Amino acid sequence: MMVQQGSTQLLCLTASSGVPLFTRGASKQLPFSVIGSLNGVHMFGGGQGVVLSCCETQGGGKVVWRVFQDSVMLIAVSGGGGGGGGAFSRKEMEKEEEEEVSLQRLLENVWSCMVLVLGQDELTNIRNVERLKRDLRSCFTLIDQLLEERQEGILGNLTHCADSLLPPNPTLLQVAVDGFAQAADSEFGCLVVHGRVAAATEKWWRLAPQEVVLLSALMRSLSASGSASCDYPIFLPKGSPTVAHRLLRFQLLPGADVCVLCGPTPSLHRAESGLVGRFWTPLVETLRDCLAIGERCLPGSVSLRPDVLALLLINRETRRSVSLVRTSTNQPLSDPPLPSKARCWELLKLFYIFSTTRYFTQEETLSVSPEERAQRGYNEDFVLGFTHQPIQCYLVTEECKCFGLQTPQHQLFLLMPLSVSTFALRTVATQTLSDIVAATGF
């Protein structure tokens, strides 16, 4: 086994010559000879007209390759054992396939992260390798966040839907975001609370879903740095990979930040001194109410059934999502023990991958080429066996029961205790979806 069990190491090399640019993740780095071998076997396959995208190691790990723009090669090496050893992931969920999908998504996100920070020209026209190595260091904080998944409940890296928080007073916050962005000569503004999007301008939602996800990740990284404000140059991986924009970000309260994408004006000082106070000081109590929601992500007007352990709700039209895990102390001792909070988040991710690689639609895959879709590792053979589009699926495991529901506008993924009758899963899911949409309009 090449890396420690349960860990993932990311390698970045030049595609043409195989020169290592950086390695991240896993405390014990792979030897240079192993890195050279991983690059060499991929190049050998390419010379024989074969695209090597994934393989499994003798020790149960995974290696995934991906070349971007014929310039940069990214390799993810997983030590396996990341599923917690439960029957859910190893037997019933076919863990190996889920891990491959996660690693492919990781490589996509890392490449887009590099473009976000450095721009595509810097990565596709490599003139000085040593200079590029130094420049890439500015991406490490964001890349490490993608690798380590530090914040529970942030699933956008996997779903490519913006992790959202639904505030109790959305209209007030929406008016403030729109007005603040307009005053800053921008059409792109966003309010982030607890690392999740609470309100954004219409043009912000028109950005590519992956861009919204990565900008949210960048906001979390900048907020964690402790700075009250910053002026950060960024490129949009899909919309503007070669022309930089300015990201102006301001901390309103601990845990609440607002940002805009703009051009040369306004200056950071003008926006901070003249605009932040004018638009956001009157809304301090509204922001505190929004912060009080915390990890629940839903306002108090939403009443969830007690048999819902965890949920992920995706709006397929806006590419937004809300997710939460509930911890209950009222379960009788005679029942099987509930999964821990961390395990519920893990199971929710696994069930999402299980459902979307076999039954449900991932809209973003419809616009990619067959070659790219094959590289991403989606299991099309299974889906092609259906004569119709599945709209519901369920899974009974040794830890919990799961139910997935797909409508033209939503996808809902639920975890429920084993004590819930299997025939009642659909009722719980449909009622949960109805309650959330009726109360929030999500």
Side-chain angles (χ1 to χ4, degrees):
M1 189 173 294
M2 291 184 288
V3 299
Q4 183 181 3
Q5 189 176 30
S7 61
T8 300
Q9 186 163 147
L10 178 73
L11 314 174
C12 180
L13 308 89
T14 58
S16 57
S17 57
V19 176
L21 297 174
F22 68 80
T23 62
R24 304 302 295 173
S27 56
K28 184 178 180 181
Q29 293 188 359
L30 294 174
F32 181 77
S33 58
V34 174
I35 297 176
S37 298
L38 292 174
N39 177 62
V41 70
H42 186 276
M43 291 183 65
F44 176 79
Q48 305 302 312
V50 176
V51 177
L52 178 61
S53 61
C54 180
C55 78
E56 186 174 346
T57 69
Q58 188 175 7
K62 284 276 186 182
V63 183
V64 175
W65 292 261
R66 188 83 179 269
V67 175
F68 294 88
Q69 299 289 325
D70 295 323
S71 177
V72 171
M73 175 188 290
L74 291 174
I75 307 174
V77 183
S78 170
F88 188 103
S89 58
R90 185 173 61 249
K91 297 178 182 177
E92 300 179 62
M93 301 269 309
E94 299 182 15
K95 173 184 172 296
E96 293 79 6
E97 183 178 322
E98 271 90 50
E99 187 173 20
E100 180 182 344
V101 172
S102 297
L103 293 176
Q104 291 284 5
R105 180 54 55 90
L106 171 66
L107 297 189
E108 294 177 42
N109 290 334
V110 169
W111 166 255
S112 294
C113 165
M114 294 161 62
V115 175
L116 182 81
V117 177
L118 297 181
Q120 187 170 286
D121 287 345
E122 190 79 11
L123 299 168
T124 56
N125 302 311
I126 303 176
R127 301 177 182 86
N128 187 312
V129 172
E130 294 304 317
R131 177 183 173 184
L132 179 59
K133 287 182 181 180
R134 291 194 299 269
D135 292 344
L136 282 169
R137 293 174 187 169
S138 58
C139 305
F140 286 174
T141 301
L142 202 49
I143 291 174
D144 290 345
Q145 186 183 148
L146 297 174
L147 273 169
E148 298 171 10
E149 298 182 338
R150 297 172 184 172
Q151 187 169 350
E152 286 185 342
I154 299 298
L155 306 182
N157 299 338
L158 176 64
T159 64
H160 277 183
C161 297
D163 293 287
S164 302
L165 180 147
L166 306 184
N169 296 299
T171 303
L172 291 176
L173 296 177
Q174 186 66 54
V175 170
V177 168
D178 290 339
F180 180 73
Q182 184 177 9
D185 300 324
S186 172
E187 294 180 301
F188 301 89
C190 177
L191 173 67
V192 176
V193 176
H194 292 311
R196 300 167 175 86
V197 179
T201 61
E202 181 183 356
K203 285 291 184 71
W204 185 274
W205 293 122
R206 292 186 187 178
L207 296 172
Q210 189 184 30
E211 292 174 343
V212 177
V213 169
L214 289 176
L215 287 170
S216 298
L218 179 60
M219 287 281 285
R220 290 192 295 272
S221 177
L222 295 173
S223 180
S225 69
S227 62
S229 62
C230 63
D231 186 340
Y232 199 90
I234 60 105
F235 298 81
L236 297 174
K238 304 292 184 183
S240 180
T242 58
V243 178
H245 297 264
R246 294 169 62 219
L247 176 71
L248 300 185
R249 170 243 155 206
F250 307 94
Q251 184 184 70
L252 305 177
L253 292 172
D257 300 83
V258 67
C259 71
V260 292
L261 289 177
C262 61
T265 58
S267 67
L268 179 67
H269 174 73
R270 175 179 170 270
E272 187 172 20
S273 60
L275 301 180
V276 173
R278 191 211 317 176
F279 285 94
W280 296 104
T281 298
L283 296 180
V284 169
E285 291 305 316
T286 303
L287 289 171
R288 286 182 177 147
D289 291 341
C290 193
L291 285 163
I293 292 177
E295 293 182 356
R296 189 174 188 267
C297 296
L298 296 173
S301 58
V302 178
S303 179
L304 296 176
R305 292 176 56 122
D307 43 15
V308 173
L309 286 180
L311 70 82
L312 165 63
L313 175 60
I314 293 173
N315 186 310
R316 301 172 65 190
E317 295 179 356
T318 62
R319 303 297 295 167
R320 299 175 65 192
S321 72
V322 291
S323 57
L324 63 92
V325 167
R326 304 166 76 197
T327 55
S328 175
T329 58
N330 298 323
Q331 192 185 31
L333 296 177
S334 58
D335 287 351
L338 294 175
S340 66
K341 181 180 178 183
R343 180 62 176 158
C344 280
W345 282 121
E346 187 174 19
L347 296 176
L348 196 58
K349 293 177 187 178
L350 290 171
F351 182 58
Y352 168 80
I353 297 174
F354 174 84
S355 303
T356 54
T357 54
R358 290 167 175 79
Y359 303 109
F360 294 164
T361 303
Q362 284 184 308
E363 281 75 15
E364 63 178 331
T365 67
L366 301 179
S367 60
V368 302
S369 65
E371 294 78 10
E372 184 177 357
R373 200 174 303 178
Q375 277 192 318
R376 292 182 178 189
Y378 297 126
N379 188 355
E380 290 192 355
D381 292 338
F382 189 90
V383 176
L384 292 175
F386 291 100
T387 58
H388 64 285
Q389 173 62 55
I391 58 174
Q392 298 173 359
C393 66
Y394 76 94
L395 193 65
V396 178
T397 78
E398 295 180 1
E399 298 178 84
C400 64
K401 293 182 179 180
C402 317
F403 194 90
L405 176 65
Q406 177 168 262
T407 71
Q409 188 175 358
H410 296 98
Q411 287 178 343
L412 176 66
F413 306 88
L414 285 183
L415 302 186
M416 287 166 272
L418 293 173
S419 56
V420 178
S421 301
T422 303
F423 66 80
L425 298 179
R426 178 189 300 177
T427 301
V428 176
T430 53
Q431 181 180 333
T432 300
L433 177 60
S434 175
D435 290 345
I436 295 176
V437 174
T440 65
F442 181 74

